[in-house]
Amino acid sequence: MNIAIIAAAGAGTRMASDRPKQFLLLAGTPVIIHTLKVFEQCESINEVIVVVPAAESAGFLSLAAKYGLRKVARVVPGGATRAESVKRGLQAIRAATAEIVAVHDGVRPFVTVEEIDATVVAAQTNGAAILVAPVTDTIKQVSDGRIMQTLDRGELRRALTPQCFRYDVLREAYQAADVTDPSVTDESVLVEKLGVAISVIDGNPRNIKITTVEDLAIAEAMLCYGSE
C-alpha cells in the first residue's frame, strides 16, 4: 500500500491571516482541499494521512467527506515543527502494509497526478525519489555580506514535493532525526544522512508553495489562466 502524508500543520504566520494558510479559500475552496483532490485522483496512492493544526483536527474528516475525499483515512494533530508533524503522520501508518510513503506540502495544490505517479514509481524502483525543478536565477554564495562564489545553476535544483520513500527508509531517517530542529524543512535531507541515493524527477515550476498573500494571488491567477 502506498500512503501519502499531507503536511498541513503550519500556522501560516506570513499570510497575515487569523486562519492557517492551508484553509484559506482559493477560487472558493480551501487550499488543502485543492491539494487533496489531486491525490484522490492518483492511482498510485491508496491512502492519505493529513496532518493539520490540533485545533483543526476534530472536524477535518467531515470537511474531507463534504468534498468527496474518500482516501483520507486519518487526521493527525501536527507538532511544533514540520519534521515533528511528518513524524506524527509516519507513526500513524500501519507498518505491516506500508510500501511507499509520499510526503507532500498541503499548500502545493498545483502538483499533477502524473508527477505524483512518476515520483512514486521511481521510489519503488530506487528506494527514494523527489520532485525537483530547475533553478533559473543566477545563484551566489554569500558570507558576511560578500559574494564568495557564483554557483553553477545547471547543477542546482529546487526541491519540490512530493518526496517519496520506501517506508522502512523514511522510518529509519526519522528515528535518527532531531524533529525539534526547524531547519529540517524536507524529508530528503534526513534520508541523505543515511547515505541513501535519492533519484530526482523533473517537475513543473507551477508546483508552487503558497506561503504569502502574493502567492495566493498568483495561485488565483494560475487557476483563472488554466481554466481559459
Side-chain angles (χ1 to χ4, degrees):
M1 178 177 287
N2 299 329
I3 302 107
I5 296 175
I6 307 300
T13 54
R14 284 178 286 177
M15 192 62 77
S17 170
D18 57 357
R19 286 282 283 160
K21 58 193 175 186
Q22 56 273 33
F23 292 98
L24 295 180
L25 297 183
L26 175 60
T29 300
V31 171
I32 181 65
I33 299 299
H34 284 280
T35 302
L36 289 170
K37 282 182 176 180
V38 184
F39 283 84
E40 187 73 21
Q41 300 164 11
C42 190
E43 291 186 3
S44 66
I45 297 296
N46 307 110
E47 187 175 282
V48 176
I49 295 172
V50 186
V51 188
V52 296
E56 306 285 349
S57 59
F60 193 85
L61 281 176
S62 296
L63 179 66
K66 173 184 174 182
Y67 288 96
L69 300 171
R70 292 179 294 224
K71 287 186 182 179
V72 177
R74 285 179 293 288
V75 179
V76 179
T81 64
R82 185 187 189 281
E84 185 179 8
S85 294
V86 173
K87 185 174 184 178
R88 290 185 180 187
L90 194 59
Q91 290 170 336
I93 290 175
R94 294 184 293 270
T97 57
E99 183 183 357
I100 298 299
V101 179
V103 182
H104 186 70
D105 295 319
V107 288
R108 288 188 186 270
F110 294 107
V111 68
T112 67
V113 169
E114 293 76 16
E115 288 172 330
I116 298 168
D117 285 340
T119 312
V120 168
V121 168
Q124 288 172 327
T125 303
N126 304 314
I130 73 169
L131 203 63
V132 299
V135 174
T136 56
D137 293 322
T138 299
I139 303 297
K140 308 289 186 179
Q141 182 179 346
V142 176
S143 179
D144 296 326
R146 295 185 179 183
I147 293 174
M148 306 304 292
Q149 63 175 322
T150 301
L151 303 180
D152 180 2
R153 65 187 179 190
E155 297 182 351
L156 301 176
R157 297 292 185 273
R158 293 189 295 113
L160 308 176
T161 64
Q163 300 191 355
C164 301
F165 310 91
R166 290 181 187 151
Y167 169 75
D168 57 339
V169 170
L170 191 58
R171 182 180 61 181
E172 183 181 355
Y174 268 94
Q175 284 174 340
D178 176 9
V179 296
T180 65
D181 183 356
S183 69
V184 179
T185 54
D186 76 351
E187 286 58 58
S188 64
V189 68
L190 299 178
V191 174
E192 288 166 30
K193 293 178 180 179
L194 298 179
V196 173
I198 304 172
S199 299
V200 294
I201 301 298
D202 291 330
N204 194 312
R206 282 174 53 90
N207 184 5
I208 64 170
K209 186 176 182 180
I210 300 173
T211 58
T212 66
V213 174
E214 291 78 14
D215 294 334
L216 191 61
I218 290 169
E220 290 276 3
M222 288 170 63
L223 278 180
C224 180
Y225 177 78
S227 65
E228 292 180 354

